[in-house]
């Protein structure tokens, strides 16, 4: 997650970071028994043309949607217009029509979530593309011994049974930081997972560049063809790995129109970066860590085909940890196609826009928010989440 935790420099143990997926904790629930009986929304309209310039940010604000959450770290929409908010301690709550349900949890798994350090906990959420039919959703959390767990649960209409858990993957973690946590379904229907380099500082085992570990990677798995999952036949290395050379990918998202994958990768000491995997990629991108931090040498050297970030910023003005965001696809056409991301410590929000083959990066907002995550609803509106427990949406004044 964020690097505002003081890193513990501990002895390094040799390990490839991967352990065999354990058996599921319950039988797979029947897709026909979810109890979901809500009305499906109308299909989206044709996409609006992308903005060519940045709007004047003074005409916009981040409006409060909900508060009193307990350390929210992710927000995802379901097909019925509800917003699912992940609380780091092990809970999922629902927001519907800007009303937060504080009386009950949609899911409570705090009995198995290990949140002993600031970068551990329930960290990510993804709903299956056919959630309305099967009720499946997936979470990323740190559990026993601090290891990363990727699990599936089955939802009912107003809650999910914590005993419906099916563990897909368990990845060994040696340190309490750099757990990543992002998870997203791509336009291809596969589940993408962002894992950090395993923690400590400076990637002492070289996990970011090693293809013998799942740490420091973007993974791509097929959750529909086999239990617990299958490896897509076109993955570049014949295993789960899709891209590598990442330090701690904290939030990634697909552009709902183009299919490009944007990744916020937290830096070591000087530089924060935003990377992109373009739609149609065959995978195998190397983003350079720990040879480089952003576009700058860290340990130096490395192969010639390392991919530069599309945006970066340094810590000169107090920034400390990038929080990846979303490409705006909502009702304000002047924002359409602009990728919004921020910094945890300063609350600053930048926009990135493509101009031909180049990218423009501009500071847009200076908020008072400790930005733990961004979110996007089914209509393409963009939200920010605060460590203080609030959720805000971008809107015109």
């Amino acid at each position: 997650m964020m690097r505002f935790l003081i890193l513990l420099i501990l002895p390094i143990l040799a390990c490839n970071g991967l352990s065999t997926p354990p058996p599921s904790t319950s039988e797979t629930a029947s897709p026909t028994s979810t109890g979901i009986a809500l009305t499906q929304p109308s299909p989206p309209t044709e996409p609006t043309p992308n903005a060519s310039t940045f709007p004047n940010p003074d005409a916009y604000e981040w409006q409060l949607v909900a508060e009193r959450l307990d350390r929210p770290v992710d927000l995802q929409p379901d097909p019925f217009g509800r917003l699912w908010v992940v609380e780091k301690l092990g809970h999922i709550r629902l927001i519907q029509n800007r009303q937060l349900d504080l009386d009950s949890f949609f899911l409570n798994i705090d009995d198995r979530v290990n949140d002993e350090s600031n970068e551990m906990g329930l960290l990510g959420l993804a709903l299956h593309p056919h959630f309305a039919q099967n009720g499946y959703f997936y979470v990323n959390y740190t559990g026993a011994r601090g290891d990363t767990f990727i699990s599936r649960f089955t939802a009912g209409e107003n809650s999910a049974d914590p005993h419906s858990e099916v563990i897909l993957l368990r990845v060994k973690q040696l340190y309490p930081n750099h757990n990543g946590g992002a998870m997203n379904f791509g336009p291809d229907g596969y589940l993408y997972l962002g894992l950090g380099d395993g923690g400590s500082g400076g990637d002492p085992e070289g996990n970011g560049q090693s293809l013998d570990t799942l740490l420091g990677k973007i993974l791509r798995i097929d959750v529909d063809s086999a239990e617990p999952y299958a490896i897509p036949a076109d993955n570049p290395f014949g295993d789960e790995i899709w891209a590598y050379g990442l330090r701690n990918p904290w939030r990634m998202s697909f552009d709902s129109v183009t299919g490009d994958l944007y990744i916020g990768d937290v830096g070591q000491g000087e530089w924060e970066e935003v990377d992109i995997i373009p739609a149609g990629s065959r995978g195998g991108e190397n983003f350079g860590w720990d040879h480089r931090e952003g576009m700058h040498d860290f340990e130096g050297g490395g192969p010639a085909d390392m991919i530069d970030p599309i945006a970066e910023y340094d810590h000169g003005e107090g920034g400390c940890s990038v929080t990846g965001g979303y490409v705006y696809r909502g009702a304000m056409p002047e924002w359409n196609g602009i990728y919004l991301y921020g910094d945890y410590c300063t609350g600053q929000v930048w926009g990135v826009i493509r101009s031909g083959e180049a990218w423009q990066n501009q500071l847009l907002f200076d908020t008072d928010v400790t930005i733990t995550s961004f979110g996007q609803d089914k209509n393409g509106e963009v939200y920010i989440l605060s460590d203080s427990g609030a959720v805000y949406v971008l809107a015109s004044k």
Side-chain angles (χ1 to χ4, degrees):
M1 190 176 154
M2 287 65 67
R3 202 194 45 262
F4 56 92
L5 173 69
I6 297 176
L7 301 180
L8 301 177
I9 307 302
L10 302 174
I12 307 301
L13 302 178
C15 177
N16 68 2
L18 173 64
S19 60
T20 303
S24 66
T25 57
S26 69
E27 294 298 320
T28 303
S30 168
T32 61
S33 62
T34 66
I36 296 176
L38 301 175
T39 303
Q40 284 269 32
S42 302
T45 56
E46 290 244 350
T48 304
N50 284 350
S52 58
T53 59
F54 293 104
N56 179 0
D58 293 339
Y60 304 87
E61 63 185 356
W62 294 92
Q63 293 181 354
L64 181 67
V65 173
E67 52 189 344
R68 298 173 59 194
L69 287 151
D70 194 352
R71 303 203 70 185
V73 293
D74 200 3
L75 180 150
Q76 299 293 332
D78 71 14
F80 313 112
R82 302 177 300 186
L83 301 176
W84 298 34
V85 183
V86 174
E87 294 180 320
K88 180 178 172 291
L89 301 183
H91 316 133
I92 295 175
R93 295 186 185 271
L94 295 183
I95 298 174
Q96 188 166 18
N97 299 323
R98 294 204 173 193
Q99 297 297 312
L100 171 65
D101 182 1
L102 285 170
D103 296 327
S104 61
F105 300 119
F106 189 84
L107 177 72
N108 182 357
I109 54 169
D110 61 13
D111 60 340
R112 68 206 74 173
V113 169
N114 183 340
D115 64 333
E116 293 177 355
S117 89
N118 195 57
E119 296 190 32
M120 298 166 65
L122 179 56
L123 302 176
L125 167 69
L127 277 66
H128 192 280
H130 301 298
F131 171 81
Q133 289 75 45
N134 60 30
Y136 290 160
F137 65 97
Y138 300 78
V139 298
N140 180 326
Y141 67 90
T142 53
R145 297 189 295 277
D147 293 348
T148 291
F149 288 77
I150 307 299
S151 292
R152 185 187 76 209
F153 289 85
T154 304
E157 184 171 344
N158 296 307
S159 65
D161 182 357
H163 300 295
S164 67
E165 181 177 15
V166 176
I167 299 172
L168 278 64
L169 178 64
R170 178 175 179 172
V171 181
K172 185 174 179 61
Q173 296 281 0
L174 296 178
Y175 302 97
N177 59 329
H178 301 186
N179 297 294
M183 53 197 319
N184 308 81
F185 277 95
D188 53 13
Y190 294 133
L191 180 60
Y192 291 72
L193 308 167
L195 272 70
D197 66 6
S200 187
D203 194 13
E205 290 297 309
N207 289 331
Q209 290 297 309
S210 172
L211 294 177
D212 295 326
T213 174
L214 301 186
L215 298 172
K217 310 295 188 296
I218 302 298
L219 311 182
R220 179 180 183 247
I221 62 175
D222 177 357
V223 298
D224 293 320
S225 297
E227 291 284 351
Y229 63 86
I231 305 296
D234 58 348
N235 275 12
F237 307 109
D239 58 10
E240 294 92 342
I241 297 171
W242 183 248
Y244 65 111
L246 294 155
R247 182 178 179 273
N248 190 29
W250 181 246
R251 297 303 168 238
M252 62 186 187
S253 65
F254 285 94
D255 182 342
S256 61
V257 171
T258 67
D260 297 332
L261 177 61
Y262 291 78
I263 307 159
D265 193 26
V266 178
Q268 172 69 34
E270 296 295 333
W271 294 94
E272 306 296 315
E273 69 183 84
V274 173
D275 301 304
I276 190 170
I277 300 177
S281 166
R282 295 184 178 181
E285 285 88 351
N286 178 2
F287 292 107
W289 176 253
D290 61 351
H291 296 303
R292 298 192 307 188
E293 181 186 24
M295 300 182 188
H296 313 271
D297 280 350
F298 184 75
E299 291 192 348
D305 60 350
M306 294 184 293
I307 307 297
D308 285 336
I310 61 169
E312 65 174 12
Y313 65 94
D314 65 26
H315 292 182
E317 297 184 2
C320 73
S321 182
V322 67
T323 300
Y326 284 84
V327 175
Y328 183 88
R329 295 295 180 186
M332 298 182 289
E334 64 272 26
W335 287 98
N336 200 61
I338 297 175
Y339 175 74
L340 297 169
Y341 73 98
D343 183 82
Y344 173 83
C345 288
T346 64
Q348 292 177 322
V349 176
W350 287 265
V352 178
I353 191 169
R354 191 194 297 265
S355 178
E357 295 301 314
W359 295 88
Q360 300 178 53
N361 184 41
Q362 181 172 315
L363 178 62
L364 298 171
F365 300 98
D366 194 355
T367 76
D368 296 325
V369 174
T370 49
I371 303 173
T372 57
S373 191
F374 285 75
Q376 190 168 44
D377 65 25
K378 69 182 184 67
N379 297 318
E381 303 299 337
V382 174
Y383 298 72
I384 55 177
L385 282 65
S386 170
D387 205 28
S388 66
V391 176
Y392 305 86
V393 65
L394 180 64
S396 59
K397 290 182 178 179

